[in-house]
Amino acid sequence: MYCSSSMHPNANKENVSTSDVQGNFVRITRSRAKKALGGVIPPTKPSFKQQKRRAVLKDVSNTSENIYSHLLEGGNIKVNRKCVKESKKAAKEGANVAMEILVDMHTEKSKLAEDLSKIMMAESQNASVSNSKDEEITEQQEGGSDVMDFLQVVDIDFNVKDPQFCSFYAADIYENIHVAELQQRPLANYMELVQRDIDPGMRRILIDWLVEVSEDYKLVPDTFYLTVNLIDRFLSSSCIQRHRLQLLGVTCMLIASKYEELCAPPVEEFCFITANTYTRTEVLSMEIQVLNSVHFKLSVPTTKTFLRRFIRAAQASYKAPLVELEFLANYLAELTLVEYTFLRFLPSLVAASAVFLARWTLDQTEHPWNPTLQHYTRYEVAELKTAVLAIEDLQLNTSGCTLTATREKYNQPKFMSVAKLKSPKRAASIFSR
């Protein structure tokens, strides 16, 4: 605290005189103030924080007992003892009534819970009885069929820790994928309806060449499947001349690479792979045409989409995953991409048929289909017959096709040379049982 003599020209007796102050500004200590005021120091005004703290403490201690004691000690208000006794008696009676109500409520709740448990037990017993009856009826209708046992389905999504499998959502995801495969499908007969200058043989040569391109650039399988899908969807709506068919192929692979690959090859690479038959401008112009033709809808389910799920369902019947089964199923599925006639089959049907034939090729001692596969593929054995026999013809090369890019790819040791595997028994014997 500082004081200036110039600011107090009319200082009275209670103030410190200027003669006692040295200099213009002197610090007034408590000892000096006490001496100047005759030994009396006025109480300091409490700060705002202290006032607030006191108010809070006062509120906390503001109970009924403190209020009554304060009033009685002060003697300002006379309290009628009779009123106090009556109020205590009424409070006690109210507490007793409340206790009785709580007891009654607890009793009612216990009774309701008991009744509900009895009802639930009765319903469960009825449900079990009805289920047993339904099972008996089903067994009687099937007549004890020895084809397969439908009593047990393995849950392939249970306790899967790998987040890439999306096990918690997998069932819902594939529920939607099964619906989506019915949409945005290429026409199964676009060669006859739309095209005038190309034929299935030219398409076969193009796809076989694209197998080599995808191997050269080490593209993921999804890129190749999407490439073929884009080619067929474009040809289903747009007529093309044969000298531009290769341009369409590399452009669709460019689009698929941009969609599926982490690092897609640049446009110049796809020009180079065609020996610079097409320029960068031509490729980019065709890219615009393809994207407009498919309405920029690139997220479509292919055979590879279903194949991953179905192979996992097939591996559930083995104690350890069978790598050879995975390679063989992928090989059979890729053989179908070359053939125009397989556009009549749904991608899920082709994937299920490839798994069926792969299991049969590896082991003829047991039936290749089981309840788990039927549950996850949604196909019964009879529904697979046509597609399975058609894929087996490709596997055995009954038509004598000279295009061997896919076969050479899966003859490599990294794929365990599954292209050489053949079943000693034809698959037709399974369906004749």
Side-chain angles (χ1 to χ4, degrees):
M1 179 177 177
Y2 294 90
C3 179
S4 174
S5 60
S6 61
M7 295 177 63
H8 301 279
N10 299 322
N12 53 23
K13 294 180 180 180
E14 294 180 355
N15 295 326
V16 180
S17 62
T18 55
S19 61
D20 296 333
V21 180
Q22 297 177 355
N24 293 331
F25 295 94
V26 176
R27 180 176 179 83
I28 300 177
T29 61
R30 290 181 62 86
S31 60
R32 290 181 179 178
K34 183 176 181 181
K35 181 179 180 182
L37 296 176
V40 179
I41 299 178
T44 57
K45 186 177 180 180
S47 64
F48 174 75
K49 185 180 293 186
Q50 291 174 335
Q51 289 178 348
K52 188 174 183 181
R53 186 179 300 168
R54 286 179 183 176
V56 171
L57 292 174
K58 184 178 180 181
D59 293 339
V60 171
S61 61
N62 192 16
T63 59
S64 59
E65 293 182 1
N66 291 336
I67 291 174
Y68 280 121
S69 61
H70 175 71
L71 293 176
L72 290 173
E73 289 174 1
N76 295 328
I77 300 175
K78 296 181 178 180
V79 180
N80 191 337
R81 297 181 180 274
K82 184 177 181 180
C83 293
V84 174
K85 289 182 179 180
E86 289 179 356
S87 62
K88 289 183 178 180
K89 183 178 180 182
K92 187 176 181 179
E93 291 177 355
N96 293 333
V97 172
M99 184 60 68
E100 292 177 359
I101 293 172
L102 290 174
V103 171
D104 293 339
M105 290 175 63
H106 180 71
T107 304
E108 290 294 332
K109 287 183 178 179
S110 301
K111 187 176 180 181
L112 287 173
E114 186 178 355
D115 293 339
L116 286 174
S117 62
K118 291 180 180 180
I119 293 171
M120 292 174 66
M121 289 178 63
E123 289 179 351
S124 62
Q125 290 177 357
N126 293 334
S128 61
V129 171
S130 62
N131 289 335
S132 62
K133 290 182 178 179
D134 292 340
E135 290 177 359
E136 291 177 0
I137 294 172
T138 303
E139 290 177 357
Q140 293 175 359
Q141 290 176 349
E142 291 180 354
S145 175
D146 58 347
V147 176
M148 66 177 62
D149 184 12
F150 293 98
L151 297 180
Q152 186 177 3
V153 174
V154 178
D155 186 1
I156 62 175
D157 299 315
F158 176 72
N159 201 23
V160 178
K161 297 181 180 180
D162 190 346
Q164 293 185 350
F165 285 101
C166 303
S167 59
F168 187 76
Y169 310 100
D172 295 327
I173 290 173
Y174 278 89
E175 180 73 26
N176 287 275
I177 290 177
H178 275 283
V179 176
E181 73 168 333
L182 300 174
Q183 306 166 353
Q184 305 170 18
R185 290 186 62 196
L187 295 177
N189 55 349
Y190 67 76
M191 287 291 183
E192 296 79 15
L193 294 179
V194 181
Q195 301 304 320
R196 297 291 180 268
D197 199 35
I198 62 173
D199 56 32
M202 296 177 184
R203 177 191 178 276
R204 188 183 301 116
I205 294 173
L206 174 66
I207 303 302
D208 187 77
W209 175 71
L210 288 175
V211 173
E212 297 179 358
V213 175
S214 64
E215 280 290 288
D216 290 341
Y217 288 108
K218 295 179 173 55
L219 303 179
V220 296
D222 300 80
T223 300
F224 180 57
Y225 278 90
L226 181 57
T227 299
V228 178
N229 177 270
L230 292 174
I231 291 172
D232 290 327
R233 287 165 64 193
F234 179 83
L235 295 178
S236 296
S237 59
S238 303
C239 184
I240 195 171
Q241 297 177 345
R242 64 179 65 187
H243 70 273
R244 291 173 59 85
L245 185 60
Q246 188 181 22
L247 173 63
L248 173 65
V250 295
T251 303
C252 289
M253 182 161 281
L254 170 65
I255 297 172
S257 299
K258 290 180 179 180
Y259 188 79
E260 297 287 357
E261 300 290 334
L262 293 177
C263 184
V267 181
E268 290 75 15
E269 287 294 329
F270 290 102
C271 295
F272 172 78
I273 205 70
T274 63
N276 293 318
T277 305
Y278 309 102
T279 64
R280 173 188 172 88
T281 304
E282 288 178 308
V283 174
L284 294 179
S285 177
M286 178 60 74
E287 182 182 20
I288 295 173
Q289 295 181 44
V290 173
L291 290 174
N292 285 324
S293 176
V294 300
H295 306 290
F296 288 82
K297 296 180 179 178
L298 305 180
S299 182
V300 292
T302 63
T303 300
K304 184 63 177 179
T305 308
F306 294 98
L307 201 58
R308 289 192 178 92
R309 180 77 166 170
F310 298 168
I311 288 175
R312 286 193 62 222
Q315 300 282 20
S317 60
Y318 301 107
K319 294 182 179 180
L322 194 60
V323 180
E324 199 172 13
L325 171 66
E326 181 177 354
F327 290 152
L328 182 56
N330 279 285
Y331 164 63
L332 297 175
E334 287 190 24
L335 284 177
T336 65
L337 294 177
V338 181
E339 295 298 324
Y340 164 75
T341 55
F342 275 85
L343 292 177
R344 57 192 171 121
F345 300 119
L346 286 171
S348 60
L349 179 60
V350 175
S353 301
V355 172
F356 183 101
L357 186 57
R359 285 173 58 88
W360 174 250
T361 302
L362 296 174
D363 185 10
Q364 295 85 39
T365 60
E366 61 179 7
H367 200 281
W369 218 233
N370 55 42
T372 302
L373 281 166
Q374 179 170 321
H375 172 75
Y376 287 103
T377 63
R378 304 184 181 186
Y379 289 109
E380 297 182 359
V381 176
E383 299 176 281
L384 302 176
K385 180 178 179 180
T386 305
V388 168
L389 296 180
I391 296 175
E392 188 180 39
D393 287 338
L394 294 179
Q395 181 187 22
L396 301 175
N397 196 18
T398 56
S399 62
C401 180
T402 57
L403 302 175
T404 59
T406 305
R407 301 180 193 281
E408 291 176 0
K409 172 183 175 181
Y410 282 91
N411 266 334
Q412 300 178 65
K414 66 178 182 179
F415 293 115
M416 302 180 69
S417 303
V418 294
K420 298 179 181 178
L421 297 178
K422 301 290 187 298
S423 173
K425 297 180 182 179
R426 294 295 298 265
S429 61
I430 307 174
F431 302 101
S432 61
R433 293 179 182 177

